[in-house]
Amino acid sequence: STHPRCSQSSGINAEYGGIRNDTHLIDLASTEQHLWRALNVVSHIAARRGNIIFANQRQSSKFILKTAARMCGETAYTADPIRSPSQVDYHTKGTFRPANFDALKPDLVICSSVMNPTSSQMLLHCNKNLIPTIGILDSDVDPVNLTYVIPGNDDSTEALIFYHKLFGQAIFRAKKIVQLLRNEGEGLSVQRRHSET
């Protein structure tokens, strides 16, 4: 993903890429490193039964978010109301409503559309309330208010599908592993009780 040099945000760190012919480039090795770190964080929060919110304020991304959220049993938060499992109407008409957002009790927010006023308000709110955030960050976006940054294309449908599929799989697998360990632990405790009698 590239953007002209003049559109680069002042917050972008040189570690995310370089400049060639007055265009900012994203280094894929840096993307991979940051993506692994973010997937690790997502897995740990999912394993602890944390509430993870997929957020994106672009209408074109609504289906991608809904699919990822359904895949792993989490909640999507977009510019259009998407009902969470508890049927909370938490977002309407592109306006960020902190009270409704807080009703979702997020432990982590994955935001794939950082550069718009609604997302900025949401990320600032998360930052003030110590809710960790993961953001897919193109070279024209400022990483302020993001806890974990993934340098990459936030415009391409294919890129968003790729990222959300990885996040959804990481969450699903973490929950599955925890469930298997719980079941195994219950089986061991039953065996111990039988051997003691």
Side-chain angles (χ1 to χ4, degrees), residues 175-185:
K175 289 178 176 181
K176 191 76 167 170
I177 288 170
V178 168
Q179 186 60 45
L180 289 171
L181 291 173
R182 272 198 196 106
N183 292 345
E184 189 176 291

Side-chain angles (χ1 to χ4, degrees), residues 21-150:
N21 296 330
D22 280 338
T23 301
H24 288 274
L25 305 173
I26 292 176
D27 178 18
L28 292 179
S30 177
T31 298
E32 181 183 22
Q33 177 187 13
H34 287 82
L35 181 58
W36 278 113
R37 184 180 333 157
L39 289 170
N40 188 36
V41 169
V42 165
S43 297
H44 281 274
I45 290 176
R48 293 184 180 113
R49 296 183 175 183
N51 193 16
I52 299 171
I53 307 293
F54 289 89
N56 189 314
Q57 304 310 316
R58 292 190 186 123
Q59 285 292 330
S60 60
S61 303
K62 184 167 64 170
F63 180 75
I64 297 168
L65 260 66
K66 284 175 69 174
T67 303
R70 267 195 216 122
M71 174 198 307
C72 58
E74 296 297 337
T75 304
Y77 183 88
T78 67
D80 215 26
I82 296 176
R83 305 283 188 210
S84 71
S86 61
Q87 298 294 305
V88 177
D89 185 8
Y90 48 87
H91 195 260
T92 55
K93 298 182 182 173
T95 305
F96 177 68
R97 301 187 194 301
N100 295 339
F101 180 78
D102 291 340
L104 298 172
K105 297 184 169 106
D107 295 302
L108 174 70
V109 175
I110 300 170
C111 186
S112 52
S113 172
V114 176
M115 199 168 99
N116 64 62
T118 305
S119 291
S120 295
Q121 291 171 0
M122 178 189 64
L123 292 170
L124 179 61
H125 179 76
C126 288
N127 195 356
K128 287 179 179 177
N129 290 284
L130 303 176
I131 300 167
T133 54
I134 294 174
I136 299 167
L137 202 68
D138 218 329
S139 61
D140 62 340
V141 181
D142 192 344
V144 70
N145 294 325
L146 285 170
T147 314
Y148 301 96
V149 173
I150 301 169

